Amino acid sequence: TRRSRSSVASSQRRGKRKHISLGTESAPVFTRRLREHTVIEGFDSEFTCSAEGEPKPKVEWAKDGKVLREDPNKFKFKHVFGVLTLCIYDVSLADAGDYSCSVSNRLGTAITRARLTVAKEHDQVGYVWHFPTEMPTAPAHPPPRYEEI
């Protein structure tokens, strides 16, 4: 098989490096990497990244080095137009760990990793807001009032 030639060009104006493919095939690369995050136990969570490569890369998700298998009650994989998502349902403390996404084709492999931290209670995560589920009711007896004598 014939491999494509590729080069890396620098844009002097923007100071960014760009990957340019001069053929039809390229090794997989991540255009957006996984990011670490914290989720509260019992909630759902998602890891998302983006990759490209030609031929279309094979995608593999893993937790702590062990390959994950799709399970409708726990893990769902979404792969749409290069956007790769791992959905984790009903997160438990056992789901905490290092997750990775690997993309590979015959020209190479790329891997991105991130940690999932699971908080046991709401107050361990600073960005979670607490909203009452019911409107507070008036106390049965009004509080005592004090008057100056």
Side-chain angles (χ1 to χ4, degrees):
T1 63
R2 188 182 128 157
R3 292 186 179 186
S4 69
R5 290 182 255 162
S6 64
S7 66
V8 176
S10 293
S11 169
Q12 297 295 332
R13 284 180 274 158
R14 291 185 225 130
K16 294 182 181 177
R17 292 169 51 104
K18 294 181 181 178
H19 179 80
I20 299 172
S21 176
L22 300 176
T24 58
E25 295 183 338
S26 63
V29 293
F30 282 99
T31 55
R32 179 177 177 216
R33 303 188 74 75
L34 293 176
R35 294 184 181 175
E36 296 183 357
H37 61 281
T38 300
V39 66
I40 299 167
E41 186 178 27
F43 283 69
D44 295 341
S45 184
E46 285 187 352
F47 278 108
T48 301
C49 57
S50 300
E52 56 187 35
E54 188 61 42
K56 183 179 177 181
K58 175 187 169 203
V59 179
E60 190 171 78
W61 290 96
K63 177 190 178 263
D64 296 329
K66 293 178 75 176
V67 175
L68 295 175
R69 301 285 175 230
E70 199 161 20
D71 173 353
N73 297 316
K74 192 61 179 175
F75 300 111
K76 181 176 181 176
F77 309 145
K78 298 179 192 174
H79 305 153
V80 181
F81 298 112
V83 178
L84 314 172
T85 304
L86 166 63
C87 303
I88 307 170
Y89 301 117
D90 191 24
V91 172
S92 69
L93 294 174
D95 293 317
D98 295 315
Y99 287 80
S100 64
C101 180
S102 165
V103 289
S104 59
N105 64 19
R106 68 176 173 259
L107 300 177
T109 300
I111 299 173
T112 180
R113 295 178 179 87
R115 176 171 287 279
L116 175 65
T117 303
V118 180
K120 190 159 178 72
E121 298 184 21
H122 289 25
D123 59 3
Q124 293 178 347
V125 183
Y127 57 83
V128 175
W129 294 90
H130 302 276
F131 294 103
T133 55
E134 299 177 10
M135 292 300 292
T137 58
H141 303 285
R145 293 180 13 179
Y146 297 94
E147 296 179 9
E148 275 189 57
I149 309 179

